[in-house]
Amino acid sequence: MPTRRFGRLRFHVGGLALGVALAFLAGCATASGISDLANEYYNLGQQFDDQKDQTRAAEYYQKALGLNPALRMARFNLARIKLKLGEYDKAAEFLGTLALQDPANLSVQELLAFMDASQGKYESAWGKYLAIISRTEGRVSVLYNLALLSRELGQEKKALPWVRVLVDLRPSEPAYWREAGLVAIGAGDTCLLYTSPSPRDRGNH
């Protein structure tokens, strides 16, 4: 089974600066309730996540979830980390719970699709990405991954409208143009194969 690098899922990371968060957490157990402590554990998880220390990040997300099982972002981030580490069973467990809690959540559905793609379950991933794209065309990672999958599955003609949206949204990204060109070749559409950096510059084709 051929392997490909699928589009990165990008998440915003915020919270307190690490030193301040640690200092604040020291008195948190007595000054605040369990919910506040869970939130602080979550903030610490984000800080370690931002530093790419996935082991520590997962540790604090797990602590946050242990104190507050309703903290969905902690569960989501745990799923994302487990997926990145190749722990698919654990990632599926977290994502399954999230999908039951919030079946309309596009970020959860996208991560489920990404998990399938990462395991070579291309048909399943394709179906999940199609369901997402039917609700929104603005998720660049979904458009890019659909382009990759279309070449694996021989579905370039179906993907052609989406790669046009992709390069229109990100006209300065060479990787997206490269993938769009490969999809266009597979679809037999040479109109997309031009050198202008932006679809708005090429006139009507």
Side-chain angles (χ1 to χ4, degrees):
M1 182 71 68
T3 59
R4 291 191 182 278
R5 181 182 177 186
F6 285 86
R8 268 186 75 221
L9 302 180
R10 295 180 174 87
F11 302 91
H12 296 288
V13 179
L16 300 170
L18 182 57
V20 177
L22 284 169
F24 184 75
L25 183 58
C28 192
T30 56
S32 305
I34 291 177
S35 180
D36 288 338
L37 181 56
N39 289 336
E40 290 309 313
Y41 279 141
Y42 175 77
N43 287 341
L44 281 171
Q46 285 190 307
Q47 298 303 321
F48 286 116
D49 220 344
D50 197 26
Q51 296 174 17
K52 304 188 186 307
D53 187 341
Q54 295 174 335
T55 300
R56 297 292 299 279
E59 175 187 344
Y60 281 101
Y61 289 143
Q62 191 67 65
K63 286 182 177 181
L65 198 60
L67 289 172
N68 182 5
L71 200 56
R72 292 181 184 176
M73 277 307 301
R75 195 182 305 276
F76 181 85
N77 286 342
L78 276 167
R80 176 174 53 80
I81 289 173
K82 296 301 182 183
L83 176 54
K84 192 169 184 179
L85 294 175
E87 298 178 20
Y88 297 117
D89 289 345
K90 197 63 179 176
E93 180 183 330
F94 288 128
L95 287 171
T97 300
L98 287 168
L100 288 173
Q101 293 174 335
D102 189 4
N105 189 298
L106 289 178
S107 293
V108 172
Q109 295 304 316
E110 184 174 351
L111 203 55
L112 282 165
F114 186 85
M115 181 171 65
D116 282 348
S118 298
Q119 296 178 86
K121 300 176 182 178
Y122 295 152
E123 291 280 2
S124 179
W126 175 262
K128 288 182 173 69
Y129 281 129
L130 286 181
I132 295 169
I133 214 71
S134 70
R135 296 172 57 190
T136 175
E137 289 188 349
R139 298 176 83 94
V140 171
S141 56
V142 172
L143 292 166
Y144 180 64
N145 290 345
L146 274 170
L148 290 175
L149 287 168
S150 74
R151 295 201 293 115
E152 294 290 347
L153 299 172
Q155 298 284 2
E156 291 95 336
K157 287 186 178 180
K158 287 187 178 180
L160 199 56
W162 305 320
V163 298
R164 288 191 175 118
V165 174
L166 175 64
V167 295
D168 195 41
L169 289 171
R170 293 290 189 274
S172 62
E173 293 280 353
Y176 296 160
W177 279 104
R178 182 170 56 253
E179 194 59 39
L182 291 171
V183 171
I185 290 171
D189 187 335
T190 58
C191 182
L192 190 63
L193 304 179
Y194 61 93
T195 58
S196 172
S198 171
R200 297 182 181 89
D201 297 337
R202 67 183 173 103
N204 296 321
H205 288 268

